[in-house]
Amino acid sequence: MEEALKEAETAASEGEVPVGAVIVRDGEIIARAHNMTEQAKDPTAHAEILAIRKAAAFLGGWRLTDCSMFVTVEPCGMCAGAIVWARIGRLYIGAMDPKAGACGSLYNIPQDSRLNHYVEIETGMMSDECSSLMKRFFRKLRSEDGQ
């Protein structure tokens, strides 16, 4: 989670919503990413999606069954769906997102029994650090906007 948090800090320094993700296989980080929606002008350029793309390219295939993802903030519905479709085995979440989270807060897409893959989920890893980064980012953003 520390490496995912470094990615989130990079995102914040670039003016992106501070979310970071890393994908691990056999104890080795095979992909890392942070949000890039503003830079890429792409609403799908979330940390989780970018990390999945990098991991699939690294492995030469889209099935990430033997992989774990560490993400600083609970994934949204789009990312939760991508996690299921990529067949990621285990998901570690820093801070939960009660407004848009789709891995236990509003929805629980990765563990929906109607889907063809079930993802093990562990929450609360470095949650204070992850949520603090998000709060600082949005506090700063609001002060710059004059709100």
Side-chain angles (χ1 to χ4, degrees), residues 117-134:
H117 180 71
Y118 182 91
V119 180
E120 296 291 330
I121 298 175
E122 185 175 324
T123 63
M125 292 189 73
M126 298 181 70
S127 61
D128 291 342
E129 296 90 333
C130 295
S131 62
S132 177
L133 180 58
M134 288 291 279

Side-chain angles (χ1 to χ4, degrees), residues 1-8 19-25 28-34 47-48 51-52 55 67-72 88 90-92:
M1 189 59 74
E2 289 177 5
E3 294 300 314
L5 197 52
K6 287 178 187 176
E7 287 291 325
V19 177
V22 297
I23 297 179
V24 175
R25 182 176 186 210
E28 175 188 351
I29 294 175
I30 62 167
R32 58 177 64 235
H34 58 272
E48 301 93 326
I52 287 169
C67 297
S68 297
M69 177 182 281
F70 293 78
V71 63
T72 56
I88 289 175
R90 191 161 192 83
L91 176 64
Y92 297 91

Side-chain angles (χ1 to χ4, degrees), residues 77-98:
M78 173 183 70
C79 293
I83 289 164
V84 170
W85 295 123
R87 310 291 197 274
I88 289 175
R90 191 161 192 83
L91 176 64
Y92 297 91
I93 300 170
M96 298 303 280
D97 183 356

Side-chain angles (χ1 to χ4, degrees), residues 21 42 74-75 87 105:
D42 178 355
E74 180 182 4
R87 310 291 197 274
S105 289

Side-chain angles (χ1 to χ4, degrees), residues 6 9 17 37 59-60 98 127 134 139 146:
K6 287 178 187 176
E9 289 166 352
V17 174
T37 55
L59 295 174
S127 61
M134 288 291 279
R139 193 176 311 122

